[in-house]
């Protein structure tokens, strides 16, 4: 039996098998720890953003559900940096993952709700019409 995991945001048809998924290296773990420390402990979002970006690129050979979390975190970081357009791009990648069978199955409900709340905030920050915010709320209700 071979499990197949889609790579987050990979071109359609791209897959990664569990056998191909590579354990994180010491360097990758160190970058991720630095990013989490900057994001949560230091609340230094300027420092956290490039570390998260580097972690995302290093996570190319990891299962999609792991990489998906990094996009969600970087989107949140962009919001703290008042860059909602960039946050929405990362949140869109997370939504696309949630639309997969794996994403729907592996993502806890509270993470889905948190994502849609973040999307609504990003849309509001960009000055998007309230009708678009209602669409995000509808999508959140459908995900529940």
């Amino acid at each position: 039996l071979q499990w197949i995991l889609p790579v987050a945001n990979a071109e359609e048809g791209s897959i990664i098998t569990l056998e191909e998924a590579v354990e994180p290296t010491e360097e990758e773990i160190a970058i991720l720890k630095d990013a989490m420390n900057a994001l949560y402990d230091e609340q230094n979002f300027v420092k956290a953003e490039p570390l998260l970006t580097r972690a995302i690129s290093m996570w190319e050979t990891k299962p999609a559900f792991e990489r998906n979390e990094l996009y969600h975190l970087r989107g949140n970081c962009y919001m703290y940096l008042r860059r909602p357009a960039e946050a929405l791009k990362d949140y869109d990648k997370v939504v696309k993952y949630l639309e997969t069978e794996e994403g729907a199955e592996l993502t806890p409900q509270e993470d889905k709700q948190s994502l849609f709340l973040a999307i609504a905030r990003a849309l509001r920050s960009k000055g998007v019409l309230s009708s678009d915010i209602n669409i995000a709320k509808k999508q959140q209700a459908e995900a529940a």
Side-chain angles (χ1 to χ4, degrees):
L1 179 65
Q2 184 177 27
W3 292 89
I4 298 175
L5 302 174
V7 176
N9 311 306
E11 292 183 11
E12 192 169 284
S14 293
I15 56 172
I16 186 168
T17 64
L18 284 179
E19 291 81 20
E20 294 170 329
V22 179
E23 289 289 323
T25 65
E26 293 291 325
E27 179 188 12
E28 290 167 338
I29 292 169
I31 294 295
L32 191 55
K33 282 182 180 179
D34 289 347
M36 296 302 109
N37 285 334
L39 188 63
Y40 293 115
D41 296 338
E42 301 170 25
Q43 294 189 347
N44 183 339
F45 309 112
V46 171
K47 180 179 175 182
E49 185 268 328
L51 290 168
L52 286 166
T53 298
R54 187 164 175 208
I56 288 169
S57 69
M58 295 174 113
W59 247 250
E60 292 284 339
T61 58
K62 310 302 181 277
F65 64 89
E66 293 179 7
R67 194 154 178 238
N68 179 64
E69 287 298 317
L70 294 174
Y71 278 109
H72 193 166
L73 290 173
R74 189 175 68 178
N76 292 344
C77 185
Y78 283 141
M79 285 301 296
Y80 283 112
L81 294 171
R82 299 176 194 249
R83 292 160 53 187
E86 290 169 275
L88 284 169
K89 288 178 185 176
D90 276 0
Y91 294 152
D92 185 54
K93 291 173 184 174
V94 178
V95 168
K96 285 184 171 108
Y97 171 72
L98 291 177
E99 291 172 346
T100 68
E101 185 177 330
E102 177 189 278
E105 193 175 305
L106 293 179
T107 306
Q109 187 61 34
E110 56 272 10
D111 287 0
K112 295 173 188 173
Q113 292 170 341
S114 169
L115 171 66
F116 287 110
L117 180 60
I119 290 169
R121 287 183 177 144
L123 289 170
R124 178 180 274 165
S125 294
K126 283 188 63 180
V128 176
L129 299 175
S130 62
S131 62
D132 289 336
I133 293 173
N134 289 334
I135 291 169
K137 287 180 182 177
K138 180 182 174 193
Q139 289 174 340
Q140 178 184 10
E142 290 172 357

